[in-house]
Amino acid sequence: MSKVQNIHLGREMEYPYEGSRPERQIAYIFDTNKCIECQTCTVACKTTWTAGKGQEHIFYNNVETKPYGFFPHGWDVKLLEMLGPGEWQDGKYQGKTIFEAAPPGERVLGYLPEEEDYTSPNLGEDVCSGDVQRGAFFQNIHNTWMFYLARICNHCTYPGCLSACPRKAIYKRPEDGIVLVDQSRCRGYRECVKACPYKKIFYNMVTRVSEKCIGCFPLIEQGEQPQCVKTCIGKIRLQGFLSRPGEEKADNPIDYLVRIKKIALPLYPQFGTEPNVYYIPPLHVPRLFLQQMFGPGVEEALKTYRSAPADKQLLAALLMFGNTPKIIHKFKAEKEHAIGYDGMSQEAVKVPFTEPFFARDLFDKKHGVVRLNIT
Amino acid sequence: MRSKPMFGTLLLLTALSGCPSGEPQTGSSGKLTGEVRATTIGEIPLSDPLSLAWNGTPETSVMLLPQTVAYPNLIKQSVKELRVRALADAQFLAVRLEWNDPSLDEKLEVDKFTDGVAVEVPLGDPDKTNPMMGDPANPVFILHWKAAWQRDVDRGRADVQDYHPGFISDRPPFVSGGHPYPISEAFETDNARRYLPGTAAGNPVSKIFRKWPVEELQAEGFGSLADHTYQDSQGKGVWKDGKWTVVLALPRQSPDRANPMFVPGKAVMGFAVWDGANQNVGGRKHWAPFVKVVLP
Ligand code: SF4
Ligand code: SF4
């Protein structure tokens, strides 16, 4: 085991390999407050990459309802139970990661899902945290709650999958940190399936090897965001690149939102893989639940999120979500618009801070009809 | 059945047993424990591991150990002993490997693992070769048999509907024919194969068609296993009454320079066994260090 710096945990941790961060790290921000669980992302991904035989249960992208939705069944609660409780003190995680808690003879603490765990991917969909009592009414605090959690591979900085593969058939690209399974070398041992804490690597019973999200790398290489990001109806997603720690740029929307404003947080940072999908937590969910899921930065992140209407720079960064297929490398706030630039520093998108407002006469003289306002 | 009478067995064994590295031991069961002695036969009954012809060659008991040197380890040992017999004809050296296994595990699904067995032969100096998968200076040849491959050969490639009867899904892209789009028929074009990524990438594990249930491999250390371009070996396994009986036949001479040669004299062979029911796979295996093989 080597010692590596895990910036999510605020400390060094043990990892089977030396730490080497890519030049830039593919990263995503998902705003959970905006997801409507339409599953357009899931379908876009499925039809692009996993429409073959043996891939029926493979969802590189899925959207599950928390607290009772899981795909595969119980993936997070099972591992949390195995890992046991861990405290955070002053932003530093005191508990053990999946690498530090590895049992003798293993590199990683994990479990292998059963075949049945991949059935009913929408289990728990739209199920609330509890019953709504008769006579209950809204008093600014939600008595029951649920939220949608969109999930893909986190292209972790310290991938559990990669560290467990005895054949080194999984690799992390130095140019962008995308984690890939070499389809010609994998021998289907499933050590990765067992080790990935997010269960985002799958066994294909037809090809008899493991497969995972490829970060739509052919699109990334052309400067475009992945399918699940581009097609998102709720405009909840932004994909870009995170700089190495200490090299953050304030005009890079991902650096800005994740490292500078700290508005988006990693999912289960305590697992220790330094995942690179960052979530803006849901506003109305009990804090303890959110802290278990996103770590100690939840309160501050939500406070910052609420301040967005009065913070033009922050608003400009948030307006980069879902408004262009291009990968945004830089952004800036102008008087009336937020502007995003692609990798060639060309303007890729210009979004008004305030949507233009059109008032139309109630009666359409040309067609002789009364206009109905349906929005 | 092609079994033929053996010849010269006793004389040959007597002559060879006085090898310099010591006498083979005979265990309480009367089985050999120190070395495997091959007996010459006119033609090895390769397709019948249960042929009585195998009774005419001595059985060697090989003790198995759980693999605990490299990650991940085999935590639970479930197979203790491998019983080995060897026959040789002009073309092949064949070993018959037998072990107790109460369950037949031939299914591959996320949580289902296949039974398997392998023999390992050093390609260089046996004294310098690490029996745990060799090393770059001293690689090893491996012949691997799997129950899942035996099923493919005996009853056709396992398909989704074999494991999940009645399973229906949308039509996969670019396939030909109709539901249930058998993988051995419907995925013939390159475009259709793109949705079988391992197969499209040429991964030997993802092969759709398999002539033999064995695979020739080479290794030069843990994690380095690579398959041979030319596959000259054969094999056959039968599970009956709570035990596997598997014949692995290695060509005595092969034009493939990556294959070992089996000339009269001595060779060494290592063994490994996987118990699918206990999720044995890859390095989670039972193994035995090199055992001497005496060849006619
Ligand atoms: S497309 Fe967007 S809004 Fe719809 S489910 Fe996916 S992440 Fe949520
Ligand atoms: S989320 Fe899982 S599959 Fe993806 S890089 Fe991390 S450990 Fe590997």
Side-chain angles (χ1 to χ4, degrees):
Chain A
M1 287 273 187
S2 306
K3 288 269 183 209
V4 296
Q5 187 64 33
N6 185 317
I7 53 167
H8 294 165
L9 304 184
R11 66 166 170 87
E12 283 195 322
M13 68 162 198
E14 286 179 3
Y15 186 66
Y17 294 108
E18 297 286 323
S20 84
R21 287 180 189 272
E23 261 167 59
R24 56 182 189 176
Q25 171 64 54
I26 191 170
Y28 304 72
I29 302 175
F30 293 179
D31 183 350
T32 59
N33 295 287
K34 289 161 73 183
C35 177
I36 55 170
E37 212 210 15
C38 60
Q39 305 281 14
T40 309
C41 47
T42 308
V43 173
C45 175
K46 187 111 193 90
T47 49
T48 308
W49 301 118
T50 61
K53 245 193 151 182
Q55 297 181 314
E56 293 84 352
H57 66 296
I58 299 182
F59 289 95
Y60 293 167
N61 182 106
N62 78 293
V63 187
E64 58 201 42
T65 305
K66 287 298 179 200
Y68 297 126
F70 313 91
F71 178 73
H73 297 178
W75 66 272
D76 51 352
V77 287
K78 282 184 191 167
L79 188 60
L80 287 168
E81 183 120 6
M82 289 169 76
L83 200 58
E87 295 281 321
W88 291 86
Q89 267 171 26
D90 304 325
K92 211 177 187 179
Y93 178 60
Q94 310 292 321
K96 284 190 171 172
T97 66
I98 56 166
F99 307 109
E100 293 160 343
E106 307 277 346
R107 280 200 158 142
V108 184
L109 175 75
Y111 80 95
L112 194 62
E114 292 170 15
E115 233 179 290
E116 292 73 20
D117 291 339
Y118 292 95
T119 57
S120 4
N122 271 351
L123 185 87
E125 186 182 28
D126 285 352
V127 177
C128 280
S129 60
D131 292 339
V132 179
Q133 300 303 318
R134 185 184 287 252
F137 60 96
F138 182 61
Q139 291 175 295
N140 287 330
I141 294 174
H142 292 265
N143 296 323
T144 56
W145 54 273
M146 55 94 179
F147 69 99
Y148 302 126
L149 186 73
R151 303 207 305 115
I152 57 169
C153 162
N154 291 285
H155 297 281
C156 305
T157 307
Y158 304 113
C161 58
L162 180 152
S163 73
C165 177
R167 277 180 70 69
K168 298 194 176 84
I170 302 181
Y171 60 103
K172 189 166 172 67
R173 304 208 307 183
E175 64 269 36
D176 53 18
I178 290 177
V179 176
L180 296 173
V181 181
D182 182 339
Q183 288 295 302
S184 66
R185 287 201 73 242
C186 171
R187 286 189 72 85
Y189 297 157
R190 286 154 272 174
E191 298 296 341
C192 52
V193 182
K194 189 174 177 190
C196 169
Y198 303 95
K199 297 295 171 249
K200 274 295 170 195
I201 189 157
F202 302 85
Y203 182 69
N204 180 325
M205 55 111 5
V206 168
T207 63
R208 299 172 172 176
V209 295
S210 297
E211 294 173 12
K212 68 177 288 300
C213 161
I214 60 169
C216 288
F217 71 82
L219 284 172
I220 301 286
E221 287 166 6
Q222 293 174 57
E224 294 215 359
Q225 301 190 69
Q227 293 288 69
C228 62
V229 177
K230 285 202 289 195
T231 57
C232 175
I233 300 291
K235 299 188 174 190
I236 84 150
R237 301 181 179 217
L238 181 71
Q239 177 267 322
F241 299 104
L242 258 181
S243 304
R244 288 195 175 122
E247 296 172 10
E248 290 82 3
K249 299 171 205 82
D251 59 358
N252 168 343
I254 300 277
D255 279 351
Y256 179 73
L257 292 170
V258 172
R259 299 259 181 81
I260 297 171
K261 298 302 272 189
K262 297 185 172 46
I263 193 176
L265 304 168
L267 178 63
Y268 295 120
Q270 62 270 46
F271 292 161
T273 63
E274 212 182 275
N276 287 302
V277 177
Y278 294 85
Y279 292 85
I280 302 179
L283 286 160
H284 58 275
V285 171
R287 295 298 184 261
L288 270 179
F289 189 90
L290 293 181
Q291 279 158 3
Q292 168 170 266
M293 198 168 235
F294 301 112
V298 168
E299 203 61 62
E300 276 303 302
L302 290 178
K303 208 167 123 201
T304 311
Y305 188 56
R306 284 187 198 276
S307 75
D311 182 338
K312 210 164 179 188
Q313 197 65 14
L314 179 55
L315 203 53
L318 292 173
L319 286 178
M320 296 297 108
F321 285 57
N323 280 324
T324 170
K326 297 277 177 230
I327 300 174
I328 299 298
H329 292 250
K330 288 183 186 168
F331 77 104
K332 75 172 180 202
E334 284 192 341
K335 198 160 171 265
E336 312 230 311
H337 292 94
I339 304 176
Y341 300 90
D342 66 14
M344 310 297 286
S345 298
Q346 299 296 311
E347 184 179 306
V349 66
K350 189 171 185 179
V351 194
F353 283 114
T354 308
E355 289 285 339
F357 183 84
F358 299 99
R360 297 189 298 175
D361 290 339
L362 182 61
F363 189 74
D364 182 339
K365 286 185 192 135
K366 190 175 161 203
H367 297 101
V369 290
V370 176
R371 286 177 170 135
L372 293 177
N373 196 348
I374 53 159
T375 57
Chain B
M1 202 163 69
R2 302 180 307 147
S3 63
K4 289 191 182 162
M6 286 167 284
F7 57 89
T9 313
L10 264 178
L11 193 69
L12 190 80
L13 289 178
T14 320
L16 287 167
S17 61
C19 48
S21 47
E23 293 288 322
Q25 304 289 308
T26 307
S28 53
S29 59
K31 293 175 199 163
L32 293 178
T33 54
E35 67 182 30
V36 175
R37 289 191 209 160
T39 303
T40 304
I41 187 171
E43 196 175 356
I44 304 168
L46 292 179
S47 58
D48 184 9
L50 303 177
S51 163
L52 294 177
W54 291 98
N55 293 349
T57 188
E59 182 171 275
T60 304
S61 168
V62 175
M63 289 300 132
L64 295 168
L65 304 162
Q67 190 288 116
T68 53
V69 176
Y71 285 106
N73 291 179
L74 179 65
I75 309 295
K76 182 180 157 199
Q77 179 172 11
S78 54
V79 190
K80 299 257 166 14
E81 185 203 25
L82 187 66
R83 298 179 290 279
V84 185
R85 292 177 195 249
L87 287 174
D89 62 16
Q91 210 187 339
F92 289 106
L93 164 68
V95 284
R96 191 185 81 165
L97 309 165
E98 196 183 71
W99 71 99
N100 297 346
D101 185 341
S103 62
L104 188 169
D105 301 293
E106 56 173 17
K107 186 173 172 180
L108 289 169
E109 251 293 7
V110 62
D111 57 343
K112 309 281 184 306
F113 294 82
T114 174
D115 294 328
V117 73
V119 295
E120 179 194 72
V121 181
L123 288 166
D125 183 349
D127 291 336
K128 292 189 182 148
T129 304
N130 183 346
M132 300 296 271
M133 309 291 278
D135 59 54
N138 299 285
V140 290
F141 167 89
I142 289 169
L143 185 60
H144 195 173
W145 169 93
K146 288 183 186 178
W149 295 340
Q150 188 68 56
R151 187 238 187 265
D152 292 347
V153 171
D154 292 348
R155 311 205 299 281
R157 179 64 146 77
D159 206 330
V160 173
Q161 276 72 18
D162 293 313
Y163 292 173
H164 306 282
F167 191 95
I168 290 179
S169 69
D170 288 350
R171 182 187 174 87
F174 306 113
V175 292
S176 51
H179 179 79
Y181 312 107
I183 47 171
S184 48
E185 292 167 23
F187 287 80
E188 272 162 4
T189 63
D190 284 350
N191 271 340
R193 290 260 168 116
R194 272 179 202 165
Y195 288 85
L196 303 178
T199 313
N203 190 327
V205 169
S206 309
K207 260 189 218 161
I208 302 296
F209 300 101
R210 196 171 280 284
K211 191 169 172 210
W212 299 104
V214 291
E215 191 176 38
E216 289 183 4
L217 300 147
Q218 183 152 334
E220 40 188 61
F222 279 105
S224 67
L225 211 55
D227 75 312
H228 278 197
T229 315
Y230 302 104
Q231 299 279 334
D232 313 303
S233 300
Q234 300 183 14
K236 163 112 182 154
V238 175
W239 185 88
K240 199 167 173 238
D241 302 332
K243 69 179 188 216
W244 273 112
T245 309
V246 178
V247 170
L248 296 181
L250 303 98
R252 298 193 68 158
Q253 307 229 13
S254 160
D256 189 347
R257 285 173 55 211
N259 273 44
M261 303 259 263
F262 294 102
V263 291
K266 279 174 287 164
V268 297
M269 202 175 261
F271 302 93
V273 172
W274 288 264
D275 175 13
N278 279 296
Q279 303 207 330
N280 289 188
V281 70
R284 296 184 198 269
K285 65 184 176 193
H286 301 78
W287 75 290
F290 290 136
V291 172
K292 202 188 324 162
V293 182
V294 182
L295 284 158

